Amino acid sequence: MPPILSIQNISKSYGPVQALKGVSFDVPEGSVYGILGPNGSGKTTLLGIMLDVLLANEGSFSWFGGSSHAEARKQIGSLLETPNFYHYLSAYNNLEISAAIKQHGLADRERVLRQVGLLERKDSKFQSFSLGMKQRLAIGAALLGSPKVLVLDEPTNGLDPAGIAEIRELIRKLNKEGLTVIIASHLLDEVEKVCTHVAILKRGNLLLNGPVNEVLLSEDQIEIAAPDMNNLRITMQSMPGIKKITPAENKFQLLCEPGIDAIKVNEYCISKGIILSHLLIKKKSLESKFMELTN
Ligand code: ATP
């Protein structure tokens, strides 16, 4: 299956500021793809380029295996900035305006309101909505015309925890219904909770990309000690799958390849006649992994 979006070697400068430096990755169909990075890392610029709002200086991208950009655009719903809804109009009437601007039929409104869980509140004024409901309506406007892909820039910015949870649930639901969703976010937590895939940007460079569970895989560290530390070090150097041995206060910290856990380390030591006096698994949080990558 060709990727929904393929980005190849995109670079973009604003005068002396190089916002993107040769960024390439593919967005698989059916994914929730997070573009993750701190402020100023180039996320919004990348979304602007893929939506033909900005021109790249170098590189190219293709949607749906190579459709023309004009054709592709019809299949993409996007929310880069909060739309200017009228406070005194109902959800229904606000969507009427959005539908007219986008030249979509009015019949689509009910479907979209149902999709974002606002059908029962369609006649309520926009000003009576919670922050989460307002954002759901904005996503609803982006869903007019039944796009195959939804592109969202920082969809939970400015929301309270309840609003954040609502939007997270909505993204999951839309994805289950078959939509591919591309989200720019500076929040690791958001990406970890809803995204299937991630690309991590730092100052315009792509650091890593791939399935979330691979890219943000928590790396367990195993801490060990034994009465004869010298013998322990020599023994561990001979164990397959140990990537790094770091001495730390009468202990060694082991960085292991996937599949090597505390049991395997313990078994190996016993097989070499070593009885461990200390064995501890230290979980490396995703947060610290992200900080390590972006700082
Ligand atoms: P944020 O979340 O803060 O919007 P971002 O990751 O989306 O950050 P961009 O907005 O794409 O990053 O900005 C990338 C870099 O390009 C930053 O250094 C920013 O200051 C710069 N930049 C963005 N837009 C412009 C512009 N119109 N003119 C000049 N520099 C710009």
Side-chain angles (χ1 to χ4, degrees):
M1 206 181 337
I4 279 271
L5 169 66
S6 182
I7 291 177
Q8 289 126 25
N9 206 24
I10 293 272
S11 294
K12 170 78 182 169
S13 299
Y14 300 99
V17 179
Q18 207 179 349
L20 293 170
K21 300 170 192 166
V23 172
S24 306
F25 61 86
D26 287 347
V27 176
E29 183 168 358
S31 59
V32 180
Y33 206 104
I35 299 171
L36 179 68
N39 289 337
S41 53
K43 305 181 295 295
T44 304
T45 300
L46 189 56
L47 294 193
I49 289 170
M50 66 175 78
L51 293 171
D52 279 322
V53 178
L54 288 171
L55 268 181
N57 298 113
E58 266 175 60
S60 61
F61 62 95
S62 62
W63 286 101
F64 310 108
S67 311
S68 76
H69 285 194
E71 268 312 302
R73 208 52 202 90
K74 293 181 192 157
Q75 315 260 30
I76 305 165
S78 62
L79 182 59
L80 295 192
E81 287 166 11
T82 314
N84 288 322
F85 288 126
Y86 291 96
H87 287 243
Y88 52 87
L89 289 184
S90 66
Y92 206 61
N93 291 134
N94 266 304
L95 281 191
E96 183 177 349
I97 296 170
S98 307
I101 293 170
K102 293 178 162 184
Q103 300 177 329
H104 290 307
L106 294 181
D108 217 17
R109 281 184 296 172
E110 297 245 344
R111 180 190 63 80
V112 154
L113 283 166
R114 185 174 298 112
Q115 238 182 337
V116 299
L118 289 175
L119 192 58
E120 273 98 71
R121 295 293 304 272
K122 71 183 169 104
D123 295 319
S124 302
K125 285 186 177 160
F126 180 72
Q127 65 197 15
S128 71
F129 281 6
S130 69
L131 290 173
M133 290 163 81
K134 286 176 176 166
Q135 185 67 339
R136 279 194 277 149
L137 186 64
I139 292 176
L143 290 171
L144 287 165
S146 302
K148 284 188 182 157
V149 187
L150 190 59
V151 179
L152 306 171
D153 195 4
E154 305 275 1
T156 58
N157 243 12
L159 297 186
D160 55 12
I164 291 173
E166 272 174 53
I167 298 305
R168 195 181 290 146
E169 274 316 303
L170 176 60
I171 291 170
R172 282 203 194 106
K173 172 179 163 286
L174 293 173
N175 179 242
K176 270 202 194 121
E177 290 168 4
L179 221 75
T180 301
V181 187
I182 300 174
I183 306 174
S185 176
H186 66 281
L187 302 172
L188 174 74
D189 187 54
E190 181 165 283
V191 168
E192 202 192 325
K193 285 190 172 137
V194 297
C195 294
T196 56
H197 292 69
V198 65
I200 302 181
L201 288 179
K202 180 189 174 186
R203 285 196 219 109
N205 291 297
L206 179 69
L207 298 183
L208 273 175
N209 67 294
V212 166
N213 55 2
E214 285 175 23
V215 168
L216 299 178
L217 185 73
S218 60
E219 288 176 4
D220 291 347
Q221 273 199 350
I222 300 171
E223 222 177 60
I224 53 172
D228 185 344
M229 289 296 280
N230 199 32
N231 186 27
L232 180 62
R233 183 177 46 77
I234 293 164
T235 304
M236 290 325 295
Q237 279 167 346
S238 68
M239 179 172 171
I242 302 296
K243 289 202 282 192
K244 200 170 163 198
I245 304 170
T246 313
E249 291 178 50
N250 303 322
K251 295 166 216 148
F252 290 127
Q253 285 178 346
L254 308 177
L255 190 59
C256 310
E257 282 172 6
I260 303 292
D261 57 11
I263 294 175
K264 295 227 165 68
V265 169
N266 201 7
E267 275 173 357
Y268 189 80
C269 289
I270 290 169
S271 75
K272 300 287 174 188
I274 294 176
I275 305 295
L276 293 172
S277 56
H278 174 86
L279 176 64
L280 182 74
I281 305 163
K282 291 181 91 178
K283 291 263 174 211
K284 187 168 183 183
S285 73
L286 298 182
E287 183 95 42
S288 66
K289 170 95 176 167
F290 178 56
M291 296 301 272
E292 189 183 290
L293 284 168
T294 55
N295 274 341

